[in-house]
Amino acid sequence: MNPRLTDPPGHSWLGAPIDARPLFAPEQTALTATLRALAPADWRREAVPGWTVRDVAAHLLGDFYGRLARDRDGHDEGPAFAPGETLEAFIHRSNQEWVAACRRISPAALVDTLELIGPQVARFFETADPAAPSLGVSWAGADPAPMWLDSARDLTEFWTHRQQIRHATGQGTDPDPRLLSVVLDTFMRALPHTLRDIDAPAGTQVRVRIDGPAGGAWTVTATGGRWSLAEADAGRPAATVRLDAETAWRLCTRGIQPDTARARARIDGERSLADAVCRIVSVIH
């Protein structure tokens, strides 16, 4: 984690704030390098079901434009909810409409535009007030969310899409712990929301440990009203789930299913609590 920020008491259950602001520029540099190195055939490879590498790059461009238009420029003429449409359905529909429209854009033009707009997004986040209220983060149960969580969530999305492009073109996950450690820390902020329907005596703790240079440990505590990441680890967790970093981030983004993660995990203690932890998801899906 980067230098500690302060967070309003209403969000203390999310744990200590994350300062992702310095990492948007390195992530943008890594994205540009990844895309510039692709061969022509790579752009047509499937990166996620139904989307090619070019489609994922176009989706990132849409994310960049959307953030700047909405939060930097105060522009409110973007897509609107259809009657009765859920948040998930709205996001998937508007994303698909954008990607479909961008299929007339060549890969070279996409990269040029991403290289132009991406640094503007990085500058926006670098100067944002981390304590200000911002967009909700549904998978963390925070609406509105503090900007520190909203911005960290965007970093995880940019990072995850870059890994999807890397994997589609025969490359492994970028192991850079500067980025991966913040991505994992952000994903773990879904733990209180993941356990929201689990009844346990106040003080019950569950620990998640992720191995490797980018890993760490997170302890979520039943507090009576909700589960919280703000309580100190008492050293006597009712359950411990230990994962490697690759399994952890893929689970949180549904690159693998909970059953696969459970099979790879080292679990101690109450199985029902560990099983609930392995249902964590840190994206809208």
Side-chain angles (χ1 to χ4, degrees):
M1 291 217 347
N2 287 285
R4 184 176 296 270
L5 305 172
T6 58
D7 193 39
H11 294 113
S12 61
W13 53 275
L14 289 167
I18 299 166
D19 191 1
R21 292 174 297 176
L23 296 177
F24 283 92
E27 174 57 34
Q28 173 61 28
T29 298
L31 173 65
T32 300
T34 297
L35 296 178
R36 292 268 181 223
L38 297 181
D42 289 335
W43 290 89
R44 296 188 293 273
R45 299 185 190 280
E46 186 174 71
V48 296
W51 277 6
T52 64
V53 167
R54 185 178 65 178
D55 292 337
V56 172
H59 169 65
L60 279 167
L61 181 60
D63 279 351
F64 290 178
Y65 274 132
R67 176 63 74 170
L68 294 176
R70 181 181 56 248
D71 291 344
R72 186 192 67 180
D73 304 334
H75 182 73
D76 60 1
E77 297 182 19
F81 279 82
E85 193 171 38
T86 65
L87 173 64
E88 291 79 5
F90 165 73
I91 288 174
H92 291 313
R93 175 179 60 81
S94 57
N95 284 343
Q96 186 59 50
E97 289 172 351
W98 171 267
V99 165
C102 285
R103 286 180 178 148
R104 69 180 63 189
I105 303 174
S106 70
L110 265 179
V111 178
D112 287 345
T113 310
L114 283 163
E115 197 167 20
L116 172 68
I117 301 301
Q120 296 181 42
V121 176
R123 288 194 293 274
F124 166 78
F125 282 119
E126 287 165 359
T127 59
D129 177 0
S134 191
L135 294 178
V137 179
S138 61
W139 50 257
D143 188 12
M147 175 56 86
W148 68 259
L149 180 61
D150 183 22
S151 59
R153 179 263 305 274
D154 258 17
L155 181 74
T156 68
E157 181 170 357
F158 301 164
W159 183 91
T160 297
H161 289 318
R162 181 165 61 88
Q163 307 320 304
Q164 292 165 343
I165 291 169
R166 288 174 61 90
H167 294 169
T169 56
Q171 304 171 70
T173 299
D174 182 353
D176 184 348
R178 294 180 306 158
L179 293 160
L180 181 54
S181 63
V182 174
V183 167
L184 292 171
D185 193 11
T186 304
F187 284 161
M188 290 299 107
R189 304 315 170 97
L191 284 169
H193 191 62
T194 301
L195 297 178
R196 64 192 181 280
D197 295 326
I198 303 297
D199 289 327
T204 300
Q205 293 192 321
V206 179
R207 181 186 301 145
V208 177
R209 180 174 294 280
I210 300 177
D211 296 328
W218 294 262
T219 299
V220 61
T221 305
T223 62
R226 66 161 77 238
W227 290 81
S228 172
L229 286 163
E231 311 301 317
D233 188 330
R236 300 183 301 276
T240 298
V241 178
R242 190 166 184 170
L243 299 164
D244 63 84
E246 187 74 11
T247 297
W249 84 260
R250 285 178 178 264
L251 170 65
C252 289
T253 59
R254 280 304 179 267
I256 60 172
Q257 294 301 311
D259 287 349
T260 301
R262 280 194 294 270
R264 297 178 184 178
R266 291 174 54 187
I267 294 173
D268 294 310
E270 294 184 27
R271 186 77 192 197
S272 61
L273 290 173
D275 286 348
V277 164
C278 289
R279 293 195 291 271
I280 188 172
V281 58
S282 306
V283 293
I284 295 175
H285 74 299

